[in-house]
Amino acid sequence: VSPFVQSAIRSVLAQTYHEFEVLVVDDGSTNDTATSINAIRDARVRLIAQNHRGAAAARNRGLAEARGTFIQFLDADDLMGAEKIGRQMEVLGQAPAGSVASCAWAHFANDPRDAVVRPEPVWQVSNPVEWLTCSLSGGGMMQPGSWLTPRAVIEAAGPWDESLTLHDDGEFFTRVLLKATHNVFVTGATLYYRE
Protein backbone atom coordinates (compact mmCIF):
# COMPACT_ATOMS: atom_id res chain seq x y z
CA VAL A 1 0.00 0.00 0.00
CA SER A 2 2.91 2.36 0.65
CA PRO A 3 3.42 3.24 -3.05
CA PHE A 4 -0.22 4.38 -3.26
CA VAL A 5 -0.75 6.26 0.01
CA GLN A 6 0.75 9.53 -1.21
CA SER A 7 -1.52 9.47 -4.27
CA ALA A 8 -4.55 8.86 -2.06
CA ILE A 9 -3.67 11.79 0.19
CA ARG A 10 -2.92 14.06 -2.77
CA SER A 11 -6.37 13.26 -4.19
CA VAL A 12 -7.83 14.64 -0.97
CA LEU A 13 -5.61 17.72 -0.99
CA ALA A 14 -6.70 18.40 -4.60
CA GLN A 15 -10.37 18.72 -3.61
CA THR A 16 -12.21 21.85 -4.73
CA TYR A 17 -13.57 21.94 -1.16
CA HIS A 18 -10.76 23.07 1.16
CA GLU A 19 -12.07 23.07 4.73
CA PHE A 20 -10.95 19.66 5.95
CA GLU A 21 -8.36 17.77 7.93
CA VAL A 22 -6.65 14.60 6.72
CA LEU A 23 -6.02 12.03 9.43
CA VAL A 24 -3.79 9.18 8.30
CA VAL A 25 -3.80 6.25 10.72
CA ASP A 26 -0.69 4.11 10.38
CA ASP A 27 -1.83 0.80 11.81
CA GLY A 28 1.59 -0.60 12.68
CA SER A 29 2.96 -0.69 9.15
CA THR A 30 6.43 -2.14 8.66
CA ASN A 31 7.21 -0.33 5.40
CA ASP A 32 8.02 3.33 4.71
CA THR A 33 4.44 4.58 5.12
CA ALA A 34 5.31 7.10 7.85
CA THR A 35 8.20 8.53 5.82
CA SER A 36 5.97 8.77 2.76
CA ILE A 37 3.27 10.64 4.66
CA ASN A 38 5.69 12.95 6.46
CA ALA A 39 7.06 13.99 3.04
CA ILE A 40 3.72 15.69 2.32
CA ARG A 41 4.06 19.27 3.51
CA ASP A 42 0.51 20.36 4.30
CA ALA A 43 -0.71 21.46 7.72
CA ARG A 44 -4.04 19.70 7.14
CA VAL A 45 -2.35 16.27 7.09
CA ARG A 46 -1.76 14.58 10.43
CA LEU A 47 -0.16 11.17 10.91
CA ILE A 48 -1.44 9.03 13.77
CA ALA A 49 0.60 5.91 14.58
CA GLN A 50 -0.71 2.95 16.52
CA ASN A 51 0.22 -0.67 17.05
CA HIS A 52 -1.34 -3.01 14.49
CA ARG A 53 -4.97 -3.65 15.44
CA GLY A 54 -6.68 -3.94 12.05
CA ALA A 55 -8.66 -1.75 9.66
CA ALA A 56 -11.72 -1.25 11.88
CA ALA A 57 -9.56 -0.18 14.82
CA ALA A 58 -7.67 2.25 12.58
CA ARG A 59 -10.93 3.78 11.40
CA ASN A 60 -12.18 4.07 14.98
CA ARG A 61 -8.94 5.81 15.94
CA GLY A 62 -9.39 8.28 13.10
CA LEU A 63 -12.98 8.93 14.22
CA ALA A 64 -11.83 9.55 17.79
CA GLU A 65 -9.23 12.07 16.62
CA ALA A 66 -11.37 13.80 13.96
CA ARG A 67 -12.77 17.26 14.66
CA GLY A 68 -15.10 17.69 11.67
CA THR A 69 -18.87 17.45 11.54
CA PHE A 70 -18.70 15.29 8.38
CA ILE A 71 -16.61 12.14 8.03
CA GLN A 72 -15.01 10.78 4.85
CA PHE A 73 -13.25 7.41 4.97
CA LEU A 74 -10.66 6.65 2.29
CA ASP A 75 -8.53 3.54 1.93
CA ALA A 76 -4.83 4.08 1.33
CA ASP A 77 -4.94 2.89 -2.28
CA ASP A 78 -8.11 4.63 -3.49
CA LEU A 79 -8.52 8.11 -4.99
CA MET A 80 -11.19 10.79 -4.99
CA GLY A 81 -12.24 12.91 -7.95
CA ALA A 82 -11.47 16.59 -7.30
CA GLU A 83 -15.12 17.60 -6.85
CA LYS A 84 -16.22 14.69 -4.68
CA ILE A 85 -16.38 16.34 -1.27
CA GLY A 86 -17.44 19.75 -2.58
CA ARG A 87 -20.41 18.41 -4.50
CA GLN A 88 -21.45 16.16 -1.64
CA MET A 89 -21.19 19.00 0.90
CA GLU A 90 -23.28 21.25 -1.34
CA VAL A 91 -26.03 18.62 -1.68
CA LEU A 92 -25.98 17.70 2.02
CA GLY A 93 -26.38 21.38 2.87
CA GLN A 94 -29.78 21.29 1.15
CA ALA A 95 -30.82 17.76 2.16
CA PRO A 96 -32.98 16.80 5.15
CA ALA A 97 -31.14 16.51 8.46
CA GLY A 98 -29.61 13.10 8.97
CA SER A 99 -28.94 12.50 5.27
CA VAL A 100 -25.82 10.72 4.04
CA ALA A 101 -24.29 11.31 0.61
CA SER A 102 -23.07 8.66 -1.81
CA CYS A 103 -21.59 8.86 -5.29
CA ALA A 104 -20.44 6.87 -8.29
CA TRP A 105 -17.37 4.71 -7.91
CA ALA A 106 -15.17 3.42 -10.67
CA HIS A 107 -12.80 0.45 -10.83
CA PHE A 108 -9.21 0.89 -11.98
CA ALA A 109 -6.03 -1.16 -11.86
CA ASN A 110 -3.10 1.16 -12.58
CA ASP A 111 -4.25 4.45 -14.05
CA PRO A 112 -7.45 6.15 -12.83
CA ARG A 113 -7.92 7.61 -16.32
CA ASP A 114 -8.76 4.03 -17.37
CA ALA A 115 -11.39 3.70 -14.63
CA VAL A 116 -14.67 2.07 -15.54
CA VAL A 117 -17.92 3.23 -13.95
CA ARG A 118 -20.52 0.47 -13.76
CA PRO A 119 -23.75 1.97 -12.43
CA GLU A 120 -25.74 -0.28 -10.13
CA PRO A 121 -29.47 -0.08 -9.28
CA VAL A 122 -28.80 0.68 -5.62
CA TRP A 123 -27.05 3.94 -6.52
CA GLN A 124 -30.35 5.70 -7.09
CA VAL A 125 -32.24 4.50 -4.00
CA SER A 126 -32.79 7.29 -1.47
CA ASN A 127 -34.68 5.51 1.32
CA PRO A 128 -32.03 3.87 3.54
CA VAL A 129 -34.05 0.72 4.32
CA GLU A 130 -34.98 0.29 0.65
CA TRP A 131 -31.30 0.87 -0.22
CA LEU A 132 -30.27 -2.00 2.06
CA THR A 133 -33.03 -4.26 0.70
CA CYS A 134 -31.98 -3.51 -2.89
CA SER A 135 -28.30 -4.07 -2.10
CA LEU A 136 -28.91 -7.37 -0.29
CA SER A 137 -31.11 -8.48 -3.21
CA GLY A 138 -28.26 -8.12 -5.70
CA GLY A 139 -28.75 -4.46 -6.61
CA GLY A 140 -25.14 -3.51 -6.00
CA MET A 141 -23.14 -1.80 -3.32
CA MET A 142 -21.20 1.32 -2.42
CA GLN A 143 -17.47 1.43 -1.76
CA PRO A 144 -16.70 2.87 1.72
CA GLY A 145 -14.97 5.92 0.23
CA SER A 146 -18.11 6.82 -1.73
CA TRP A 147 -19.97 7.91 1.41
CA LEU A 148 -19.79 11.31 3.08
CA THR A 149 -21.49 11.02 6.44
CA PRO A 150 -22.47 13.48 9.16
CA ARG A 151 -20.65 12.71 12.40
CA ALA A 152 -24.01 12.73 14.24
CA VAL A 153 -25.26 9.82 12.11
CA ILE A 154 -22.08 7.86 12.77
CA GLU A 155 -22.32 8.54 16.50
CA ALA A 156 -25.91 7.25 16.48
CA ALA A 157 -24.81 4.11 14.57
CA GLY A 158 -21.82 3.35 16.79
CA PRO A 159 -18.17 2.60 16.00
CA TRP A 160 -16.67 0.10 13.58
CA ASP A 161 -16.83 -3.47 14.91
CA GLU A 162 -13.19 -4.31 15.63
CA SER A 163 -13.95 -8.02 15.98
CA LEU A 164 -14.69 -8.28 12.24
CA THR A 165 -11.91 -8.90 9.75
CA LEU A 166 -14.13 -9.36 6.71
CA HIS A 167 -16.99 -7.18 5.46
CA ASP A 168 -16.55 -4.75 8.36
CA ASP A 169 -17.44 -1.93 5.96
CA GLY A 170 -20.75 -3.52 4.97
CA GLU A 171 -21.68 -4.07 8.60
CA PHE A 172 -20.71 -0.53 9.59
CA PHE A 173 -22.53 1.24 6.76
CA THR A 174 -25.62 -0.93 7.29
CA ARG A 175 -25.84 0.53 10.80
CA VAL A 176 -25.12 4.02 9.44
CA LEU A 177 -27.93 3.73 6.87
CA LEU A 178 -30.35 2.48 9.54
CA LYS A 179 -29.69 5.72 11.46
CA ALA A 180 -29.83 7.97 8.38
CA THR A 181 -32.96 9.70 7.12
CA HIS A 182 -31.97 9.70 3.42
CA ASN A 183 -29.25 8.58 1.03
CA VAL A 184 -28.52 11.32 -1.49
CA PHE A 185 -26.67 10.10 -4.58
CA VAL A 186 -24.53 13.00 -5.82
CA THR A 187 -23.95 13.27 -9.56
CA GLY A 188 -20.50 14.47 -10.60
CA ALA A 189 -18.78 13.15 -7.49
CA THR A 190 -16.60 10.06 -8.02
CA LEU A 191 -14.50 7.66 -6.00
CA TYR A 192 -11.80 5.68 -7.82
CA TYR A 193 -11.45 2.17 -6.38
CA ARG A 194 -8.13 0.47 -7.02
CA GLU A 195 -8.36 -3.26 -7.70
Side-chain angles (χ1 to χ4, degrees):
V1 173
S2 178
F4 306 127
V5 70
Q6 272 199 1
S7 295
I9 294 169
R10 292 197 190 287
S11 79
V12 179
L13 297 178
Q15 293 297 297
T16 57
Y17 184 88
H18 301 287
E19 297 177 39
F20 57 79
E21 61 181 343
V22 180
L23 304 180
V24 183
V25 181
D26 182 348
D27 188 48
S29 66
T30 57
N31 55 26
D32 64 344
T33 296
T35 302
S36 180
I37 294 162
N38 287 328
I40 298 173
R41 304 285 184 217
D42 191 304
R44 296 172 293 180
V45 178
R46 183 160 52 110
L47 176 63
I48 301 164
Q50 68 179 27
N51 292 331
H52 177 66
R53 293 174 39 218
R59 291 173 178 134
N60 281 336
R61 178 72 184 275
L63 272 173
E65 300 269 348
R67 296 181 295 255
T69 55
F70 290 87
I71 304 294
Q72 165 70 62
F73 293 101
L74 184 67
D75 288 343
D77 57 349
D78 296 338
L79 305 170
M80 290 192 296
E83 295 186 0
K84 183 199 182 295
I85 293 176
R87 285 182 180 262
Q88 288 181 315
M89 287 294 291
E90 182 180 342
V91 169
L92 284 175
Q94 300 169 10
S99 295
V100 297
S102 59
C103 69
W105 56 276
H107 301 260
F108 78 101
N110 298 310
D111 188 335
R113 291 174 294 190
D114 298 330
V116 177
V117 176
R118 295 184 182 102
E120 298 178 331
V122 76
W123 290 11
Q124 301 299 326
V125 180
S126 62
N127 178 284
V129 173
E130 290 175 13
W131 191 101
L132 290 166
T133 301
C134 180
S135 179
L136 292 170
S137 301
M141 58 170 285
M142 200 61 69
Q143 285 301 120
S146 299
W147 300 104
L148 183 65
T149 310
R151 176 192 286 276
V153 175
I154 291 175
E155 289 175 350
W160 290 74
D161 185 340
E162 296 181 20
S163 71
L164 298 177
T165 57
L166 191 63
H167 203 53
D168 57 337
D169 55 338
E171 189 276 338
F172 174 76
F173 283 106
T174 294
R175 287 186 285 112
V176 165
L177 282 164
L178 289 173
K179 295 297 182 181
T181 58
H182 294 83
N183 164 45
V184 184
F185 184 88
V186 180
T187 304
T190 309
L191 174 83
Y192 295 93
Y193 172 69
R194 190 185 304 269
E195 293 185 316

